[in-house]
Coordinates of all heavy atoms in Angstrom, one line a residue:
M1 N -60.2 45.5 10.5 CA -59.5 46.8 10.4 C -58.0 46.6 10.7 O -57.2 47.2 10.0 CB -60.1 47.8 11.4 CG -59.5 49.2 11.3 SD -60.1 50.3 12.6 CE -59.2 49.5 14.0
M2 N -57.6 45.8 11.7 CA -56.2 45.6 12.0 C -55.5 45.0 10.9 O -54.4 45.3 10.5 CB -56.1 44.8 13.3 CG -56.6 45.5 14.5 SD -56.6 44.4 16.0 CE -54.8 44.1 16.1
G3 N -56.2 44.0 10.2 CA -55.6 43.4 9.0 C -55.3 44.3 7.9 O -54.3 44.3 7.3
V4 N -56.3 45.2 7.7 CA -56.1 46.2 6.6 C -55.0 47.2 7.0 O -54.2 47.5 6.1 CB -57.4 47.0 6.5 CG1 -57.2 48.3 5.6 CG2 -58.5 46.2 5.9
V5 N -54.9 47.6 8.2 CA -53.8 48.5 8.7 C -52.4 47.8 8.4 O -51.5 48.5 7.9 CB -53.9 48.8 10.2 CG1 -52.7 49.5 10.7 CG2 -55.1 49.7 10.4
Y6 N -52.3 46.5 8.7 CA -51.0 45.9 8.4 C -50.7 45.7 7.0 O -49.5 45.7 6.5 CB -51.0 44.5 9.1 CG -50.7 44.6 10.6 CD1 -51.8 44.2 11.5 CD2 -49.5 45.0 11.1 CE1 -51.5 44.3 12.9 CE2 -49.3 45.0 12.5 CZ -50.3 44.7 13.4 OH -50.1 44.8 14.7
L7 N -51.7 45.6 6.1 CA -51.5 45.4 4.7 C -51.3 46.7 4.0 O -50.8 46.7 2.9 CB -52.7 44.6 4.1 CG -52.8 43.1 4.4 CD1 -54.1 42.6 3.9 CD2 -51.6 42.4 3.9
L8 N -51.8 47.8 4.6 CA -51.7 49.1 3.9 C -50.3 49.5 3.5 O -50.1 49.9 2.4 CB -52.3 50.2 4.8 CG -53.8 50.4 4.6 CD1 -54.2 51.5 5.6 CD2 -54.2 50.9 3.2
Y9 N -49.4 49.3 4.4 CA -48.0 49.8 4.1 C -47.4 49.1 2.9 O -46.9 49.8 2.0 CB -47.1 49.7 5.3 CG -45.8 50.4 5.1 CD1 -45.7 51.8 5.5 CD2 -44.7 49.8 4.6 CE1 -44.5 52.4 5.3 CE2 -43.5 50.5 4.4 CZ -43.4 51.8 4.7 OH -42.3 52.5 4.5
P10 N -47.4 47.8 2.8 CA -46.8 47.2 1.6 C -47.5 47.5 0.4 O -46.9 47.6 -0.7 CB -46.8 45.7 1.9 CG -47.8 45.5 3.0 CD -47.7 46.8 3.8
V11 N -48.8 47.6 0.4 CA -49.6 48.0 -0.8 C -49.3 49.4 -1.3 O -49.0 49.6 -2.4 CB -51.1 47.9 -0.5 CG1 -51.9 48.5 -1.6 CG2 -51.5 46.4 -0.3
I12 N -49.2 50.3 -0.3 CA -48.8 51.7 -0.7 C -47.4 51.8 -1.2 O -47.1 52.4 -2.2 CB -49.0 52.7 0.5 CG1 -50.5 52.8 0.8 CG2 -48.4 54.0 0.2 CD1 -50.8 53.6 2.1
S13 N -46.5 51.1 -0.5 CA -45.1 51.1 -0.9 C -44.9 50.5 -2.3 O -44.2 51.0 -3.2 CB -44.3 50.3 0.1 OG -42.9 50.2 -0.3
A14 N -45.6 49.3 -2.6 CA -45.5 48.7 -3.9 C -46.0 49.6 -5.0 O -45.4 49.7 -6.1 CB -46.2 47.4 -3.9
A15 N -47.2 50.2 -4.7 CA -47.8 51.1 -5.7 C -46.9 52.3 -6.0 O -46.7 52.7 -7.2 CB -49.2 51.5 -5.3
Y16 N -46.3 52.8 -5.0 CA -45.4 54.0 -5.1 C -44.2 53.7 -5.9 O -43.9 54.3 -6.9 CB -45.1 54.5 -3.7 CG -44.1 55.7 -3.7 CD1 -44.5 57.0 -4.0 CD2 -42.7 55.5 -3.4 CE1 -43.6 58.0 -4.0 CE2 -41.8 56.5 -3.4 CZ -42.2 57.8 -3.7 OH -41.3 58.8 -3.7
Y17 N -43.4 52.7 -5.5 CA -42.1 52.4 -6.1 C -42.3 51.8 -7.5 O -41.7 52.3 -8.5 CB -41.3 51.4 -5.3 CG -40.7 52.1 -4.1 CD1 -41.3 52.0 -2.8 CD2 -39.5 52.7 -4.2 CE1 -40.7 52.6 -1.7 CE2 -38.9 53.3 -3.1 CZ -39.5 53.3 -1.9 OH -38.9 53.9 -0.8
A18 N -43.2 50.8 -7.7 CA -43.4 50.2 -9.0 C -44.0 51.2 -9.9 O -43.6 51.3 -11.1 CB -44.2 49.0 -8.8
G19 N -45.0 52.0 -9.5 CA -45.7 52.9 -10.3 C -44.7 54.0 -10.8 O -44.7 54.3 -12.0
F20 N -44.0 54.6 -10.0 CA -43.1 55.7 -10.4 C -41.9 55.2 -11.2 O -41.5 55.8 -12.2 CB -42.5 56.5 -9.1 CG -43.4 57.6 -8.7 CD1 -44.2 57.4 -7.6 CD2 -43.5 58.8 -9.4 CE1 -45.1 58.5 -7.2 CE2 -44.3 59.8 -9.0 CZ -45.1 59.7 -7.9
E21 N -41.3 54.1 -10.8 CA -40.1 53.6 -11.5 C -40.4 53.0 -12.9 O -39.5 52.9 -13.7 CB -39.4 52.6 -10.6 CG -38.7 53.2 -9.4 CD -38.1 52.2 -8.5 OE1 -38.1 51.0 -8.7 OE2 -37.4 52.7 -7.5
S22 N -41.7 52.7 -13.1 CA -42.1 52.2 -14.5 C -42.7 53.4 -15.3 O -43.1 53.2 -16.4 CB -43.1 51.1 -14.4 OG -44.3 51.5 -13.7
S23 N -42.8 54.6 -14.7 CA -43.4 55.7 -15.4 C -42.4 56.3 -16.4 O -41.2 55.9 -16.5 CB -43.8 56.8 -14.4 OG -42.6 57.4 -13.8
S24 N -42.8 57.3 -17.1 CA -41.9 58.0 -18.1 C -40.7 58.6 -17.4 O -39.6 58.8 -18.0 CB -42.7 59.0 -18.9 OG -43.2 60.0 -18.0
K25 N -40.8 59.0 -16.1 CA -39.7 59.6 -15.4 C -38.7 58.5 -14.9 O -37.5 58.8 -14.6 CB -40.2 60.4 -14.2 CG -41.0 61.6 -14.6 CD -40.0 62.6 -15.3 CE -40.8 64.0 -15.5 NZ -39.9 64.9 -16.3
Q26 N -39.1 57.3 -14.8 CA -38.3 56.1 -14.4 C -37.7 56.3 -13.0 O -36.7 55.8 -12.7 CB -37.2 55.9 -15.4 CG -37.6 55.7 -16.8 CD -36.5 55.6 -17.8 OE1 -36.3 56.6 -18.6 NE2 -35.8 54.5 -17.8
A27 N -38.4 57.1 -12.2 CA -37.8 57.4 -10.9 C -38.9 57.8 -9.9 O -40.0 58.3 -10.3 CB -36.9 58.6 -11.0
T28 N -38.7 57.5 -8.6 CA -39.6 57.9 -7.5 C -39.3 59.4 -7.3 O -38.4 60.0 -7.9 CB -39.3 57.1 -6.3 OG1 -37.9 57.3 -5.9 CG2 -39.6 55.6 -6.4
L29 N -40.1 60.0 -6.4 CA -39.9 61.4 -6.1 C -38.6 61.7 -5.5 O -37.9 62.7 -5.8 CB -41.0 61.9 -5.1 CG -42.5 61.8 -5.6 CD1 -43.4 62.2 -4.6 CD2 -42.6 62.6 -6.9

């Protein structure tokens, strides 16, 4: 569980920034 907690932030961050910036809006919120 501790390992998952440490990995969660970079995974969420990468999904957020890469997902939004490659979307049709080309931008994060």
Side-chain angles (χ1 to χ4, degrees):
M1 183 189 70
M2 292 175 62
V4 170
V5 167
Y6 281 112
L7 288 174
L8 269 178
Y9 191 88
V11 169
I12 291 174
S13 178
Y16 174 78
Y17 283 97
F20 273 103
E21 291 178 356
S22 62
S23 71
S24 60
K25 292 295 185 181
Q26 302 173 256
T28 57
L29 297 178

